[in-house]
C-alpha cells in the first residue's frame, strides 16, 4: 500500500513538473511580440486563452476597435496559434496592397482537400491566382455589367411588386430586414450566375433557395471562421463547413453545363462566361480589354485555360460570397435610412427625379446617382461587411517604421472597421453622414483609409457587380416605400459573435408604402 502511494505521489510530481514546463514553454512562445517591442494584448498563455474566450463571445469588430484604441495602428496578435501583425497606417497599407504587392500578393493559405473549394479565386495563391484572375477579369468589366443589368433589374422589380401586394397603401408593416431581404440576392445569383429564374418570395421551399440559405446561415459562417483559425484541425476532422450545400450547387452547375453543351445553347450569365473561358473561347471586346489590368490574358493558351474544377470553384465563390454580404449590406442601409429620415428624404428626391427623366434604370443611370452613391458608401464605411483584409508576406520584409522585419509566411491584418471609425480619418465617425462622400467633399478622405472592397491588384473582383445589385434594389425599394424606426429597432445594432463578417442579428424597421 505504501509503495502504491509512493508511486502515485511520484506520478503526481511528474505531472506537475510537465505542466509547469509546458506553461513556461508556451509562455515563451506567446512572448513573441513583447520580445520585438511591439504592443500586444497577448503576452502569455493566460492572455491568449482570455483573448480566445472574448473572440468567441464578443463580435470581432468590437474587439478590434478596443485593441486599436489601446495599442495604436500597429500591434501584434495571435490568429489561432500564429503571430499576426495588425497594420492600420495608411502609408504602410498602401505599400502592402499596391507598391510592394509582389511581396504581399497572397491571402492566408488554407485548403480543405475539396478540389472545387481549394480552387476558389479568394484562396488561390501565386501563379494559380494570377492565371484565374486574368481569365475572370473580363467577365466583371463595366461593359459586361451593362449587359447584365437587366437581369438584376428584373429581380428587383419582381421582388418589389410582390412586396407591394403584401403592404397595401395605408397599411404599414414592421419587419426584420434580414429575413425580408434574404430571397433577393438568391434570385439575383440564380439568374446572373446560373441562368435560372426563381421567385423565392413565392417559393421559399425551393431546394435552390433552402440550400443557399443553409450555406450562408450563421452556423456556416461560424464553422468557416473556426476553419480560418484552426484550418488543420477542422480539415483533420473533416468538418463540412457548408453543411452539404456545397455539393448541391456543384452538381447543379454541372447539370446546367451538361444541358447547355447537349442542347448547344448559350446564356448571358457568369456560368456561360466561365464555360467559354474554360474552353478558351471567351471573346474580349476592345471595351473589355481597356478596363482589365490583365492585358496578358491574350497570352494564355487558347485551349483549356481553366479546368472544370476551377470553373465550378468560381461559380461557388460567386454564390457563397454574394448572398449573405448583400443581405447584410442592404439591411444595414435600410437601418441607417430609418434612423436618418433627412437622408432618406434626399435619397427619395434623387430617385424620383431620376425616375421622371429615365425610361429605363440601367447600369449607367445608377452609377450617376451621386447621393445614392454617397449614402451607400457611408453605410459601408460604418459597417463594412468584411472586417479586415489579410495578406501573407511571401519574403522577408523590413518595416522600417517600427524596426521590425516581417518574416516570410507571416500574415498581415488590415483592420478595415477600425480604420473606418478612426476619428482622425473620419471626424465624428459614429455619425451617419453621406455628405462625406459627395464629389465636392470626397477629396478630404485620406487615401487607403476607406477599404470596403480592398485595394490594389487583389481587390474584390466583383465590386462593381455587388454595388449594382445593392443600388438596383435601393432604387426600386425607395421609389415605392419609406422606412421608419420603431420601438423594436435596436440602437445600436446587435451583432453575431465570433465571426469574421459583420452580421447583425435582427434589423427591425417599419415599411410604409409611398402614395
Amino acid at each position: 500500500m505504501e509503495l502504491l502511494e509512493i508511486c502515485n505521489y511520484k506520478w503526481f510530481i511528474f505531472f506537475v513538473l510537465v505542466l509547469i514546463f509546458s506553461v513556461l514553454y508556451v509562455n515563451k512562445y506567446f512572448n513573441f511580440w513583447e520580445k520585438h517591442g511591439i504592443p500586444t494584448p497577448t503576452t502569455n498563455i493566460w492572455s491568449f486563452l482570455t483573448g480566445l474566450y472574448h473572440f468567441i463571445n464578443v463580435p470581432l469588430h468590437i474587439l478590434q476597435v478596443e485593441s486599436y484604441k489601446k495599442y495604436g495602428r500597429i500591434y501584434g496578435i495571435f490568429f489561432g496559434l500564429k503571430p499576426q501583425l495588425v497594420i492600420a497606417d495608411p502609408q504602410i497599407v498602401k505599400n502592402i496592397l499596391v507598391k510592394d504587392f509582389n511581396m504581399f500578393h497572397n491571402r492566408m493559405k488554407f485548403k480543405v482537400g475539396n478540389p472545387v473549394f481549394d480552387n476558389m479565386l479568394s484562396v488561390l495563391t501565386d501563379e494559380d491566382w494570377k492565371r484565374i484572375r486574368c481569365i475572370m477579369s473580363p467577365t466583371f468589366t463595366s461593359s459586361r455589367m451593362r449587359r447584365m443589368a437587366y437581369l438584376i433589374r428584373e429581380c428587383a422589380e419582381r421582388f418589389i411588386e410582390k412586396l407591394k401586394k403584401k403592404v397595401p397603401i395605408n397599411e404599414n408593416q414592421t419587419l426584420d430586414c434580414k429575413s425580408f431581404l434574404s430571397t433577393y440576392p438568391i434570385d439575383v445569383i440564380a439568374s446572373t450566375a446560373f441562368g435560372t429564374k426563381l421567385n423565392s418570395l413565392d417559393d421559399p421551399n425551393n431546394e435552390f433557395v433552402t440550400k443557399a440559405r443553409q450555406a450562408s446561415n450563421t452556423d456556416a459562417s461560424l464553422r468557416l471562421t473556426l476553419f480560418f483559425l484552426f484550418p488543420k484541425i477542422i480539415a483533420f476532422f473533416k468538418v463540412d463547413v457548408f453543411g452539404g450545400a456545397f455539393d448541391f450547387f456543384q452538381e447543379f452547375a454541372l447539370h446546367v453545363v451538361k444541358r447547355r453543351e447537349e442542347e448547344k445553347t448559350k446564356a448571358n450569365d457568369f456560368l456561360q462566361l466561365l464555360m467559354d473561358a474554360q474552353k478558351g473561347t471567351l471573346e474580349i471586346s476592345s471595351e473589355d480589354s481597356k478596363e482589365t489590368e490583365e492585358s496578358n490574358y491574350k497570352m494564355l493558351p487558347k485551349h483549356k485555360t481553366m479546368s472544370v474544377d476551377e470553373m465550378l470553384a468560381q461559380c461557388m465563390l460567386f454564390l457563397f460570397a454574394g448572398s449573405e454580404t448583400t443581405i447584410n449590406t442592404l439591411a444595414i442601409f435600410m437601418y441607417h435610412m430609418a434612423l436618418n429620415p433627412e437622408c432618406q428624404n434626399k435619397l427619395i428626391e434623387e430617385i424620383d427625379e431620376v425616375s421622371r427623366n429615365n425610361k429605363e434604370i440601367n447600369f449607367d443611370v445608377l452609377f450617376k446617382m451621386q447621393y445614392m452613391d454617397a449614402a451607400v458608401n457611408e453605410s459601408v464605411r460604418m459597417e463594412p461587411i468584411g472586417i479586415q483584409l489579410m495578406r501573407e508576406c511571401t519574403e522577408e520584409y523590413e518595416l522600417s517604421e517600427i524596426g521590425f522585419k516581417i518574416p516570410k509566411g507571416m500574415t498581415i491584418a488590415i483592420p478595415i472597421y477600425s480604420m473606418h471609425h478612426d476619428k482622425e480619418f473620419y471626424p465624428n465617425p459614429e455619425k451617419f453622414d453621406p455628405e462625406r462622400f459627395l464629389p465636392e467633399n470626397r477629396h478630404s478622405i485620406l487615401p487607403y483609409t476607406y477599404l470596403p472592397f480592398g485595394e490594389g491588384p487583389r481587390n474584390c473582383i466583383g465590386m462593381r457587380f455587388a454595388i449594382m445589385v445593392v443600388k438596383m434594389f435601393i432604387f426600386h425599394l425607395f421609389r415605392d416605400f419609406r422606412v421608419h424606426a420603431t420601438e423594436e429597432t435596436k440602437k445600436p445594432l446587435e451583432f453575431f459573435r465570433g465571426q469574421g463578417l459583420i452580421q447583425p442579428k435582427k434589423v427591425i424597421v417599419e415599411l410604409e408604402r409611398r402614395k
Side-chain angles (χ1 to χ4, degrees):
M1 184 67 178
E2 291 181 2
L3 181 62
L4 183 61
E5 288 178 354
I6 291 171
C7 290
N8 287 339
Y9 180 73
K10 286 181 177 179
W11 276 111
F12 176 75
I13 295 294
F14 176 76
F15 175 78
V16 170
L17 288 173
V18 169
L19 182 63
I20 291 171
F21 282 114
S22 296
V23 170
L24 290 174
Y25 175 80
V26 173
N27 276 343
K28 185 177 180 181
Y29 176 79
F30 287 115
N31 195 33
F32 180 87
W33 292 117
E34 272 195 327
K35 185 172 66 177
H36 288 91
I38 295 174
T40 178
T42 308
T43 56
N44 52 49
I45 181 62
W46 310 117
S47 57
F48 170 77
L49 292 175
T50 301
L52 189 60
Y53 173 82
H54 287 150
F55 175 84
I56 294 171
N57 290 281
V58 180
L60 180 58
H61 63 286
I62 294 176
L63 289 178
Q64 229 181 43
V65 167
E66 289 175 356
S67 295
Y68 187 88
K69 290 179 179 177
K70 187 173 183 179
Y71 301 107
R73 292 180 183 149
I74 301 177
Y75 60 93
I77 61 171
F78 283 84
F79 191 79
L81 297 174
K82 293 183 177 180
Q84 184 180 87
L85 189 62
V86 180
I87 298 178
D89 179 278
Q91 184 56 49
I92 302 176
V93 168
K94 177 182 178 180
N95 293 341
I96 290 171
L97 298 181
V98 180
K99 183 174 178 288
D100 297 319
F101 175 76
N102 62 309
M103 287 184 275
F104 295 95
H105 56 271
N106 289 337
R107 293 179 181 169
M108 283 184 62
K109 291 179 181 176
F110 62 93
K111 292 189 176 183
V112 300
N114 182 308
V116 174
F117 185 95
D118 292 347
N119 278 297
M120 286 183 176
L121 183 66
S122 57
V123 301
L124 286 174
T125 60
D126 304 318
E127 291 303 311
D128 285 332
W129 166 77
K130 183 179 179 182
R131 176 173 55 85
I132 298 300
R133 175 89 183 203
C134 286
I135 294 169
M136 287 189 66
S137 285
T139 69
F140 285 96
T141 59
S142 296
S143 61
R144 299 276 183 183
M145 295 302 100
R146 289 186 181 94
R147 278 173 258 168
M148 283 194 172
Y150 79 95
L151 293 172
I152 301 167
R153 185 177 65 245
E154 287 176 356
C155 292
E157 289 174 343
R158 204 160 50 237
F159 189 98
I160 298 304
E161 285 305 312
K162 294 291 181 183
L163 189 61
K164 285 160 73 174
K165 292 177 182 178
K166 291 177 180 285
V167 186
I169 294 175
N170 298 325
E171 290 186 21
N172 297 3
Q173 184 171 329
T174 299
L175 47 81
D176 173 16
C177 292
K178 287 200 66 176
S179 175
F180 143 73
L181 289 165
S182 64
T183 60
Y184 169 66
I186 295 173
D187 285 357
V188 169
I189 291 167
S191 180
T192 57
F194 297 96
T196 302
K197 288 194 176 182
L198 298 176
N199 198 338
S200 302
L201 272 178
D202 289 340
D203 189 14
N205 296 320
N206 180 290
E207 191 173 11
F208 191 104
V209 178
T210 57
K211 290 294 184 182
R213 284 176 169 165
Q214 182 181 333
S216 60
N217 67 20
T218 305
D219 290 338
S221 299
L222 181 57
R223 288 195 297 270
L224 193 59
T225 300
L226 289 174
F227 176 73
F228 289 146
L229 282 173
F230 309 107
K232 292 182 179 179
I233 296 174
I234 298 297
F236 177 79
F237 286 103
K238 297 181 179 179
V239 176
D240 185 353
V241 176
F242 295 109
F246 200 90
D247 293 336
F248 169 81
F249 288 108
Q250 184 176 329
E251 289 300 317
F252 187 93
L254 282 171
H255 174 74
V256 175
V257 169
K258 183 179 179 181
R259 189 182 70 234
R260 290 182 187 179
E261 288 178 343
E262 289 176 347
E263 298 175 357
K264 296 182 180 179
T265 57
K266 286 197 171 189
N268 187 26
D269 57 30
F270 282 114
L271 180 56
Q272 186 64 56
L273 294 172
L274 291 170
M275 287 173 64
D276 292 344
Q278 189 259 327
K279 294 177 180 178
T281 59
L282 179 63
E283 296 180 2
I284 305 178
S285 67
S286 57
E287 189 177 358
D288 287 336
S289 62
K290 287 178 184 177
E291 285 192 47
T292 56
E293 70 273 21
E294 292 83 1
S295 57
N296 60 339
Y297 173 81
K298 295 179 180 178
M299 297 171 60
L300 291 168
K302 289 302 176 183
H303 63 284
K304 299 287 184 180
T305 58
M306 182 187 282
S307 71
V308 173
D309 282 342
E310 288 169 340
M311 176 189 71
L312 292 173
Q314 311 328 314
C315 264
M316 298 302 103
L317 176 62
F318 191 82
L319 173 72
F320 293 117
S323 180
E324 190 70 12
T325 53
T326 302
I327 293 168
N328 288 320
T329 299
L330 285 170
I332 290 168
F333 182 86
M334 291 176 67
Y335 171 81
H336 286 302
M337 288 295 106
L339 293 185
N340 297 275
E342 69 287 353
C343 296
Q344 186 176 173
N345 288 337
K346 291 178 181 179
L347 174 67
I348 288 175
E349 285 175 13
E350 184 179 54
I351 287 172
D352 289 347
E353 182 180 356
V354 169
S355 291
R356 287 192 297 269
N357 297 328
N358 295 273
K359 292 182 180 180
E360 181 183 280
I361 306 306
N362 55 34
F363 177 89
D364 293 309
V365 169
L366 285 176
F367 279 75
K368 287 177 182 176
M369 297 178 67
Q370 294 182 358
Y371 194 82
M372 179 191 284
D373 184 67
V376 169
N377 285 334
E378 176 67 349
S379 181
V380 173
R381 177 195 70 81
M382 292 195 71
E383 283 87 18
I385 302 304
I387 296 169
Q388 60 189 2
L389 300 174
M390 308 282 263
R391 294 292 185 269
E392 184 182 271
C393 186
T394 57
E395 57 185 272
E396 188 177 79
Y397 182 87
E398 184 167 1
L399 205 59
S400 58
E401 289 83 354
I402 58 171
F404 175 68
K405 289 185 178 180
I406 302 174
K408 179 180 178 179
M410 178 174 281
T411 303
I412 306 302
I414 299 171
I416 300 172
Y417 184 91
S418 299
M419 295 179 74
H420 285 191
H421 288 260
D422 188 323
K423 62 184 179 181
E424 290 187 31
F425 301 150
Y426 297 94
N428 199 1
E430 303 309 317
K431 179 185 178 183
F432 181 78
D433 183 13
E435 304 289 324
R436 306 178 203 267
F437 289 94
L438 289 176
E440 61 268 26
N441 300 325
R442 193 154 187 165
H443 67 277
S444 63
I445 297 174
L446 189 65
Y448 298 92
T449 62
Y450 180 69
L451 300 164
F453 295 98
E455 196 57 80
R458 192 139 194 177
N459 67 345
C460 175
I461 193 171
M463 175 179 64
R464 272 177 293 208
F465 179 82
I467 293 173
M468 178 168 62
V469 172
V470 166
K471 288 183 175 180
M472 190 70 80
F473 184 87
I474 290 171
F475 184 94
H476 286 87
L477 177 70
F478 287 94
R479 187 170 63 179
D480 291 298
F481 292 91
R482 286 182 180 272
V483 292
H484 305 285
T486 72
E487 291 182 357
E488 297 178 66
T489 306
K490 292 287 185 181
K491 305 170 189 176
L493 287 172
E494 293 180 351
F495 297 90
F496 285 109
R497 301 166 295 174
Q499 299 188 35
L501 299 176
I502 287 186
Q503 296 213 66
K505 291 181 178 179
K506 286 188 176 182
V507 183
I508 306 295
V509 300
E510 184 182 71
L511 207 60
E512 175 196 358
R513 181 89 170 269
R514 292 181 59 197
K515 298 177 183 178

